Amino acid sequence: MPNTVVTNPDTIPSSMQAIALIEPNEDIHLSDTQLPVPQCTGNELLVKVEYVGLNPVDAQFAKSGFCLWQYPHVLGLDAVGVVVKAGKGVFPGVGERVMWHASIGEQGVLSEYAKVPNYAVSIIPKQLASDKAATLPCAGMAALISLDKLSVTEGDTLFVEGGAGAVGQFAIQFAKQRGADVFTTASKRNHKLVKQLGADVVFDYNDKALCDKIRRELGPQGFDAVIDIMGGESTIQNIELMRFCGRIACLNPLPNFEQQLMYRRAPNISIVSLGGAWLANSLCAQQRMSFMGNLLLETVANGEITPPEVLAVDFNANAVSAALNKQLAGGFTGKQVVKIS
């Protein structure tokens, strides 16, 4: 292979252990399986995966499937690992530790090896632990895209729904860096955490008088901007809490809106979709994810941003199945991370 650089050809096996979805199912039952190690071409890197961060989207699609998937399908989108094979002259090269958010339309990263285009990865600073880096891609990028779409600037009032979740934790911290006044919701046990991250005002999301208390605290004008993390009926409630022509970034599918609400609030609605960068085949959007990854890695490595707590998950089908069910049940703080190798 004169045009390929390899760590040591003898150390890369022909097959690998992976965790796959045999078919979509409500119980999120996954299977341990052996698959061929991916073959790379052109500017693709072969990476020996070290850690995989789990996300709600992994669990949602394990239940419903995805239109582009063939089965068995390897789940997982957020990966950290070491490059073991790269084309000659392709950067980053063999031995570099990298992080990336993978394409939702292709095989995932819950496997011993994975391939990824070189322009979609970010190099991890030496001082940052790999498991910490695995908490960053999906949640951190979703928070950054949301803030950019909302054009959050100094003095804005921003409502971050579910501040103790991974997206919420990143959103609070980056919004405070931009000078926003941040309001958020969390369970009472997590009020201290989100306050430490920078939230100015915290409400108990279980409070039946939540909307009234927000209005009393904020005043009649409503929020300038909202990061809508939960979706569904809460999106309607969040729009009610916005000022006229306010901005909302939605991370989940939109509900059906009543026409009267749209006239009365005239919201500027933005959709946040990391998977869209791959599905639209947008090289610029994929490269932008790499740039956002660089920012996340740099700010965490420098201590400017605190990542979510790592919740370790074993690399076997039963453990990952249970962890994905936990993702949808919620009620935990931190980021579930699978140790692959």
Side-chain angles (χ1 to χ4, degrees), residues 84-151:
V84 294
K85 186 176 179 181
K88 193 170 183 179
V90 172
F91 178 83
V94 168
E96 292 281 9
R97 200 164 46 116
V98 295
M99 176 194 84
W100 75 98
H101 180 77
S103 170
I104 196 170
E106 299 182 7
Q107 290 286 19
V109 294
L110 274 168
S111 54
E112 292 180 299
Y113 293 86
K115 66 178 182 178
V116 58
N118 72 314
Y119 51 78
V121 304
S122 303
I123 297 177
I124 301 171
K126 289 183 172 56
Q127 68 268 37
L128 185 60
S130 292
D131 59 344
K132 288 289 187 184
T135 69
L136 307 182
C138 187
M141 292 178 191
L144 288 171
I145 291 173
S146 297
L147 292 170
D148 286 346
K149 281 179 172 281
L150 295 171
S151 300

Side-chain angles (χ1 to χ4, degrees), residues 148-260:
D148 286 346
K149 281 179 172 281
L150 295 171
S151 300
V152 170
T153 57
E154 186 171 358
D156 277 346
T157 54
L158 172 70
F159 179 54
V160 177
E161 184 181 36
V167 176
Q169 290 188 39
F170 286 116
I172 290 169
Q173 295 177 84
F174 281 113
K176 291 307 297 180
Q177 285 188 355
R178 300 183 185 203
D181 295 324
V182 178
F183 299 71
T184 191
T185 52
S187 63
K188 285 187 176 179
R189 65 185 175 86
N190 288 322
H191 281 204
K192 182 179 178 181
L193 168 65
V194 294
K195 280 280 194 178
Q196 289 173 336
L197 295 175
D200 296 288
V201 182
V202 186
F203 301 96
D204 181 1
Y205 66 69
N206 291 313
D207 193 333
K208 292 181 179 179
L210 174 63
C211 292
D212 290 336
K213 289 185 177 179
I214 289 176
R215 289 189 179 101
R216 283 201 297 270
E217 180 72 35
L218 183 65
Q221 69 272 22
F223 295 113
D224 294 313
V226 172
I227 297 182
D228 179 65
I229 294 174
M230 302 304 295
E233 289 301 311
S234 69
T235 305
I236 296 173
Q237 176 178 286
N238 290 335
I239 290 175
E240 287 281 12
L241 292 169
M242 290 162 49
R243 65 170 173 80
F244 181 70
C245 290
R247 293 125 36 212
I248 183 168
C250 300
L251 278 66
N252 276 298
L254 298 177
N256 291 322
F257 295 119
E258 291 183 0
Q259 189 177 42
Q260 194 264 357

Side-chain angles (χ1 to χ4, degrees), residues 14 20-21 31 54 56 58 103 125 147 156 171 180 212 225 245 255 279 302 313 338-339:
S14 59
L21 182 70
S31 299
L54 300 180
D58 299 316
S103 170
L147 292 170
D156 277 346
D212 290 336
C245 290
L279 299 177
N302 293 341
V313 177
V338 183
K339 187 179 188 303

